[in-house]
Amino acid sequence: MIFLKWISRIYLICILLFLYVPILVMIALSFNESQLYRIPIEWSTRWYEALASNSKLHSATLNSLTVALLSTCLSTLMGTAVALAFFRHDFRAKRLLQVMIFPPITIPWLIIGTAMLVFFFWVGIGRGLHAMILGHVALSLPYVVIVVSARLKSFDSALEDAAKSLGASYWQTTFWVTVPWLMPGIIAAALFAFAVSLDQFVISYFLAAPGFTTLPVEIYTAIRKGFTPEINAISTLVIFLSMLLLLGVSRFYRFGGRN
Amino acid sequence: MANVSVLNLSKNFGTTTALDRVSFQFEDGKFFALLGPSGSGKTTLLRMIAGFESPDQGSIHIGGKVVDHIPVEKRDIGMVFQNYALFPNMNVQANVGFGLRVRGISGSEMKRLVAEALELVRLSGFDNRQPDQLSGGQRQRVALARAIVTKPRVLLLDEPLSALDRTLRLEMEIELKRIQRDVGITTIFVTHDQEEALTMSDQIGILNEGQLVQHGSPVDIYENPQSVFVARFLGEANLLRGQADGKNVKLEIGGTVKTLSKPAYPQVICSIRPEKISIQKEQEVHRSNGNRVAGRVNEHIFNGTSLTYLVQCGNLVVKVFVQNLSGEVIPPNSSVHLFFRPEDTLVFPDA
Ligand SMILES: Nc1ncnc2c1ncn2[C@@H]1O[C@H](COP(=O)(O)OP(=O)(O)O)[C@@H](O)[C@H]1O
Ligand SMILES: [Mg+2]
């Protein structure tokens, strides 16, 4: 038993190392004076200063945030409505619809991205901001539906009945009773959607237009042209933002089990 | 306030028949209990009156007007749910004031009406508590205050006391009855607890398998059940099988008895309430009029004010309740005779 316990501990440590060592190395190197990864590390904020004057990265960051914000609003709104519809109503093909929400999670992004690109060109939407927002909404929608539905599982529908018996209309019931109760789930879902959009590369890459890129796309382009520790610096910032988001999610959403 | 009538209501869920041609008139200001075993259609009937379910057939009137096409929120009802269904994100005041807020009543007027309702249920000063800071009985009261604060035309309660423990339940029965009398609201109360139905209501309707099998005042139904089902479901009854023998019934356990009405079927069941039977030791028998059955005492249960005897008569155990008048107890294995009046011997066809 003790042997097993140790094995599992070592296993856990290995996983954590595997996950975090590359990230830690990158963070450390972003503070290194040398461009050539010379060791020992000489402390410097040089690369962060360089970021401050990199206007390409600035506009890409701004684009990323714009797309994330707008697509989050849309997908949270739509996804919550979908989850509510599934919860409240029984209708023909409900099961089928529930399953059909998920392909964005299961189908490779490369394929979805190609499909979107082809489709958007075909119907005349093209590439750029609006195309990317549409793409990101489609991607984050299933996450929103899953998270909000999970919260709805413990919702007592007698609360809605009670509201109606007291004279509340459909919308009053929704916005005074159901939505306030769902709020932690909705916030968690929105943070999820925001993170999904912010981290998205493949689809953004396909839908980026000349003069409109997002941060991950810009980083990729920069790496292809030649790596500078500036990339380490911006990546470090992105990591911290993502971690913050994750903290936000865990504040509102229970990852499995109770905590 | 208003009277409510349901006419010929039927409802099927797939192949189950939840309600089968139920007609009933709930009179203005009275307290009604809908009593029946689990699955008999009580909740379905109540939810239909509220408007949560629509009948397959039949119609519902509230205050003399057809409400069949009026949605729940426009029916002007108050409802108390089995698990109270208090809004967890609102405090007591907001919960009770919800129906007022919906009607556009706010500010001091709202506060005044909420305070009034809370006083009625004896919860003054609880305004700022959250629902999870209340005991079961208090939640119950908040739910009740919330349901009546808008002065609805009819109050609907679906087994509101079943989640409470026994002492609290008895206390709430009295409270609920008092509040109903004070407010004078037409009340329909669903329960599967016969004692609750008997003690609280002006009228009882008994449901079985989706049908309204009998209705009337508690005393009327208790004294004059129209079927074996009702006799057994409301109160206790000793059921004795027998064969019609002219005007009398020949019991399977031996003996011939006279019944309230002339047996109209060859195979019958006689029903006698345990408290309508008197018991005497064989040696001391001094009564001879009325019906008589011989038996032997199996055991007795003594609980101070009364005694319950279980008497073996043939292959049947007959229950007898006796008031503890003399303080004497007939010991087990004594041979006894049971006496009961023909008026108390109801006769039903043996299905
Ligand atoms: N929504 C529903 N779907 C399917 N069957 C139902 C539904 N509601 C009630 N029933 C069935 O209808 C019958 C009556 O139910 P109900 O009115 O809840 O009984 P009660 O309240 O007396 O226990 C039961 O057999 C029950 O299973
Ligand atoms: Mg029920």
Side-chain angles (χ1 to χ4, degrees):
Chain A
M1 280 319 283
I2 288 179
F3 178 68
L4 262 181
K5 205 166 143 189
W6 275 104
I7 291 272
S8 58
R9 268 191 199 162
I10 289 165
Y11 182 59
L12 184 66
I13 289 168
C14 284
I15 286 182
L16 288 176
L17 285 177
F18 184 68
L19 280 176
Y20 284 100
V21 165
I23 292 176
L24 289 176
V25 167
M26 192 186 70
I27 293 174
L29 289 177
S30 77
F31 288 106
N32 195 2
E33 171 73 28
S34 160
Q35 186 165 359
L36 300 166
Y37 307 128
R38 198 173 290 134
I39 301 259
I41 285 171
E42 273 174 73
W43 173 264
S44 155
T45 54
R46 169 179 165 198
W47 305 111
Y48 288 87
E49 281 151 28
L51 275 187
S53 56
N54 189 333
S55 64
K56 255 191 172 170
L57 278 183
H58 287 180
S59 69
T61 306
L62 198 66
N63 289 341
S64 265
L65 291 176
T66 311
V67 170
L69 208 66
L70 291 175
S71 68
T72 296
C73 289
L74 282 172
S75 67
T76 305
L77 214 71
M78 289 164 63
T80 304
V82 169
L84 271 177
F86 283 150
F87 175 74
R88 282 181 178 160
H89 306 290
D90 263 320
F91 43 88
R92 255 189 304 160
K94 174 166 157 179
R95 261 284 120 78
L96 185 69
L97 267 178
Q98 276 172 323
V99 172
M100 277 174 58
I101 291 276
F102 295 109
I105 295 180
T106 52
I107 296 178
W109 283 336
L110 194 66
I111 292 171
I112 295 187
T114 316
M116 278 181 181
L117 187 63
V118 170
F119 177 72
F120 287 170
F121 262 102
W122 187 52
V123 298
I125 295 174
R127 294 181 297 178
L129 175 69
H130 48 293
M132 219 180 273
I133 289 173
L134 283 180
H136 285 202
V137 167
L139 271 192
S140 50
L141 200 64
Y143 295 96
V144 175
V145 175
I146 289 171
V147 174
V148 176
S149 294
R151 172 101 182 133
L152 269 171
K153 278 229 171 70
S154 50
F155 181 69
D156 179 7
S157 59
L159 293 180
E160 291 197 332
D161 287 352
K164 281 188 211 152
S165 78
L166 291 164
S169 68
Y170 182 88
W171 295 110
Q172 282 170 328
T173 303
T174 303
F175 286 108
W176 293 2
V177 174
T178 317
V179 167
W181 193 90
L182 282 180
M183 217 19 121
I186 294 176
I187 292 173
L191 291 171
F192 243 121
F194 194 83
V196 165
S197 169
L198 209 59
D199 295 346
Q200 182 48 235
F201 168 71
V202 180
I203 285 172
S204 298
Y205 187 72
F206 274 88
L207 298 178
F212 186 88
T213 57
T214 61
L215 193 55
V217 176
E218 191 57 42
I219 290 174
Y220 177 72
T221 320
I223 293 173
R224 283 200 354 178
K225 278 191 211 140
F227 194 87
T228 64
E230 246 179 292
I231 300 302
N232 284 336
I234 186 78
S235 305
T236 302
L237 292 180
V238 171
I239 285 166
F240 277 107
L241 182 64
S242 299
M243 290 301 227
L244 259 160
L245 278 178
L246 197 68
L247 268 178
V249 172
S250 67
R251 165 87 178 64
F252 291 102
Y253 185 75
R254 289 179 174 167
F255 288 102
R258 313 189 146 263
N259 51 7
Chain B
M1 317 297 133
N3 49 26
V4 175
S5 57
V6 301
L7 213 83
N8 221 11
L9 283 186
S10 294
K11 178 80 179 177
N12 294 301
F13 291 107
T15 54
T16 28
T17 303
L19 281 184
D20 187 8
R21 286 162 294 160
V22 171
S23 296
F24 195 55
Q25 176 100 25
F26 302 88
E27 279 160 54
D28 194 3
K30 292 266 174 62
F31 195 118
F32 293 88
L34 286 175
L35 179 65
S38 169
S40 57
K42 308 180 295 289
T43 298
T44 305
L45 179 52
L46 200 75
R47 288 178 63 82
M48 228 172 247
I49 295 170
F52 290 117
E53 308 275 2
S54 54
D56 294 344
Q57 223 183 69
S59 80
I60 298 166
H61 301 235
I62 298 179
K65 292 216 177 70
V66 182
V67 294
D68 295 348
H69 299 291
I70 298 179
V72 182
E73 61 267 24
K74 301 233 171 69
R75 286 200 186 184
D76 196 15
I77 51 156
M79 190 151 176
V80 175
F81 296 81
Q82 194 162 0
N83 295 314
Y84 321 133
L86 297 181
F87 305 125
N89 54 318
M90 301 180 200
N91 64 14
V92 168
Q93 186 178 61
N95 261 287
V96 177
F98 187 88
L100 300 170
R101 184 169 149 216
V102 162
R103 287 164 175 76
I105 300 168
S106 58
S108 58
E109 174 71 354
M110 189 263 273
K111 285 205 176 115
R112 189 180 63 77
L113 291 170
V114 168
E116 236 176 65
L118 285 179
E119 196 185 325
L120 190 67
V121 299
R122 307 208 165 136
L123 273 186
S124 297
F126 280 70
D127 303 58
N128 293 320
R129 295 273 193 103
Q130 292 295 321
D132 57 11
Q133 297 173 311
L134 300 173
S135 71
Q138 290 168 335
R139 281 180 211 187
Q140 176 72 73
R141 286 160 196 259
V142 173
L144 192 60
R146 181 178 71 176
I148 57 181
V149 74
T150 57
K151 311 226 161 23
R153 297 191 291 175
V154 49
L155 178 62
L156 308 170
L157 306 107
D158 192 357
E159 311 212 13
L161 307 180
S162 60
L164 302 177
D165 62 51
R166 192 178 152 74
T167 8
L168 206 52
R169 201 165 67 224
L170 295 178
E171 189 186 313
M172 277 308 294
E173 279 177 18
I174 296 167
E175 280 286 274
L176 188 58
K177 190 68 205 151
R178 172 185 67 78
I179 291 164
Q180 191 269 335
R181 222 182 295 114
D182 285 2
V183 182
I185 187 173
T186 312
T187 300
I188 306 174
F189 181 96
V190 160
T191 180
H192 65 260
D193 184 322
Q194 41 137 332
E195 219 177 302
E196 238 168 56
L198 282 174
T199 53
M200 297 176 74
S201 44
D202 301 314
Q203 292 269 310
I204 297 177
I206 295 188
L207 283 169
N208 186 30
E209 294 177 348
Q211 292 183 323
L212 185 71
V213 291
Q214 195 175 348
H215 59 88
S217 70
V219 175
D220 178 41
I221 297 188
Y222 187 82
E223 297 299 332
N224 305 303
Q226 303 290 310
S227 59
V228 173
F229 172 80
V230 173
R232 217 166 35 174
F233 192 71
L234 197 73
E236 291 192 62
N238 293 300
L239 301 175
L240 312 177
R241 281 212 156 70
Q243 282 175 324
D245 181 11
K247 282 183 173 178
N248 303 328
V249 172
K250 230 176 112 191
L251 296 178
E252 266 180 17
I253 59 169
T256 300
V257 296
K258 287 190 163 56
T259 54
L260 175 65
S261 51
K262 186 171 172 280
Y265 300 81
Q267 298 292 326
V268 297
I269 292 180
C270 293
S271 159
I272 307 123
R273 301 274 188 210
E275 74 279 10
K276 314 257 184 199
I277 301 176
S278 60
I279 184 169
Q280 278 167 24
K281 279 198 219 161
E282 198 171 30
Q283 313 88 288
E284 301 168 6
V285 165
H286 50 76
R287 258 180 66 175
S288 54
N289 58 333
N291 295 325
R292 178 207 296 233
V293 170
R296 208 154 43 81
V297 173
N298 262 353
E299 58 178 312
H300 63 261
I301 301 149
F302 177 76
N303 56 10
T305 55
S306 67
L307 276 151
T308 304
Y309 289 103
L310 299 178
V311 181
Q312 191 76 43
C313 302
N315 57 358
L316 209 74
V317 175
V318 173
K319 210 177 220 183
V320 182
F321 294 153
V322 185
Q323 236 188 316
N324 183 12
L325 291 172
S326 61
E328 258 178 65
V329 173
I330 302 174
N333 285 323
S334 311
S335 292
V336 291
H337 284 196
L338 307 178
F339 295 94
F340 41 94
R341 303 186 308 166
E343 300 92 295
D344 295 328
T345 312
L346 308 179
V347 62
F348 302 108
D350 186 1

